[in-house]
Amino acid sequence: REPLRLRYRGATVTTVPPPSAGGVALAQALGMLERFEAGDSRAPQYAHLVVEALRRAFEDRARYLGDPDFVEVPLARLTSAEYLAERARGIPAAAARGAAQAPAPAGEAARGNTTHFSIVDAEGNRVAATLSLNHLFGSGILAAGVLLNNEMDDFSLAPEHPDSYRLRGGAANAVAPGKRPLSSMTPAFVEDGKGVLVLGAPGGPRIVSQVLLAVLDYVHAPVADLEAILGAPRYHHQWWPDRVEVEPEGFSAEWRSALQAKGHRIEAAKRKWGNMQIVFESKRDGRAVTASDPRGADVGWY
Ligand code: DON
């Protein structure tokens, strides 16, 4: 399948097509955000726009996305400028539009196990590869030395049954023999006048918001500051549950109040999340530099 390629404020972003839903969400969120003036993605006013773009992208995922070998995914329409302009028109300047409310599922989301590699070689070849067993040690079954994953959780059992990441979905992502489940994996390349950024991360649905924030931070800044991109606190929205999840100690009381004043419910996660890996190849001097998430492998995804 062809990679998904899009333009965002002069940068070319290359990412994955379905059955990963991550690339589509990234393309949709960027397409919606391009309708607004670029801003600081950690400032409350702009964070509100990012959250609303994520909400709409995850809503479309739940409604339309599934394995394209099994279901008709309206990919061209979902990523078209006309459709995204229409979706962005509904982003209210002042107030959050809540997701349909449903009772929160009990219990903690399961811990995950996903790895991302970002690679650039001396000949300029690039790899952004995210590999997932889904939960910690996958299914916990070793077959002939190979650890089996438990990606079945990435299918939607029924609209009222969220998966372990609390993602909801429907018929398009229902289980069928030979079908591939949706994924949130969002390996990406971003190329602009500054250079080429190769990135990705683990984190279940929080992969999408991590990569989106990193792309916004990279494209909106005049120089590539990898430490700033990786070190900045993260927030996340996935349509349902209807809340902005924030990393602990990442956001001030004023920040939270500003988002709450716009109608958002804020929920502090117990731990920081993600383990993003970046390579940046500069167009100025041709040098490639690498940077790893300061949260480190121990923090994992949650
Ligand atoms: O493909 C997906 O969306 C999930 N299997 C990813 C799980 C994940 O990132 C857990 N990570 N540490």
Side-chain angles (χ1 to χ4, degrees):
R1 288 195 181 272
E2 288 298 302
L4 255 178
R5 195 160 281 130
L6 61 122
R7 300 276 295 167
Y8 175 71
R9 297 189 201 280
T12 302
V13 179
T14 308
T15 182
V16 283
S20 182
V24 182
L26 179 64
Q28 288 194 296
L30 290 173
M32 287 182 243
L33 288 167
E34 197 157 26
R35 311 274 140 196
F36 302 93
E37 212 174 295
D40 171 359
S41 61
R42 300 307 184 291
Q45 180 60 36
Y46 198 77
H48 165 67
L49 301 178
V50 175
V51 162
E52 289 301 307
L54 282 167
R55 180 202 299 282
R56 283 159 179 76
F58 274 98
E59 182 179 16
D60 281 0
R61 167 190 176 143
R63 192 159 290 154
Y64 302 112
L65 264 51
D67 183 346
D69 287 350
F70 284 73
V71 293
E72 198 71 52
V73 176
L75 189 59
R77 176 171 150 71
L78 290 177
T79 55
S80 71
E82 299 71 39
Y83 177 75
L84 294 173
E86 188 53 41
R87 282 301 250 160
R89 234 191 302 285
I91 294 181
R97 193 216 60 185
Q101 284 299 320
E108 280 268 291
R111 295 276 160 82
N113 192 321
T114 299
T115 306
H116 179 86
F117 297 99
S118 291
I119 302 167
V120 173
D121 76 4
E123 286 158 27
N125 298 301
R126 310 163 194 160
V127 179
T130 315
L131 304 95
S132 180
L133 289 172
N134 203 29
H135 295 158
L136 192 63
F137 294 108
S139 61
I141 297 169
L142 202 62
V146 176
L147 197 52
L148 303 184
N149 69 45
N150 64 342
E151 303 289 346
M152 291 300 283
D153 173 69
D154 286 340
F155 280 115
S156 306
L157 287 181
E160 65 278 16
H161 281 292
D163 70 9
S164 66
Y165 301 93
R166 305 171 86 183
L167 281 171
R168 283 173 181 262
N173 190 35
V175 183
K179 193 175 174 188
R180 294 164 300 175
L182 287 180
S183 170
S184 296
M185 292 186 282
T186 318
F189 305 142
V190 184
E191 184 159 4
D192 69 354
K194 302 191 283 284
V196 179
L197 197 73
V198 180
L199 77 163
R206 296 178 191 87
I207 294 172
V208 176
S209 43
Q210 280 177 75
V211 173
L212 174 63
L213 289 172
V215 173
L216 294 171
D217 292 346
Y218 171 76
V219 175
H220 293 180
V223 292
D225 183 344
L226 306 191
E227 269 66 39
I229 292 171
L230 289 167
R234 294 174 177 149
Y235 54 87
H236 173 73
H237 199 290
Q238 59 182 50
W239 174 59
W240 193 90
D242 185 9
R243 46 91 170 104
V244 182
E245 207 179 13
V246 294
E247 285 191 319
E249 295 138 33
F251 298 92
S252 66
E254 291 73 35
W255 190 95
R256 290 164 190 240
S257 302
L259 268 283
Q260 281 161 345
K262 290 189 178 297
H264 295 287
R265 193 159 70 82
I266 310 286
E267 186 181 299
K270 290 193 181 67
R271 303 170 62 186
K272 295 181 178 186
W273 63 76
N275 186 13
M276 184 171 278
Q277 305 299 323
I278 296 183
V279 180
F280 171 66
E281 192 175 23
S282 166
K283 282 200 174 148
R284 209 186 45 200
D285 56 15
R287 282 169 57 88
V289 290
T290 63
S292 290
D293 204 311
R295 291 158 186 80
D298 288 347
V299 171
W301 66 278
Y302 195 84

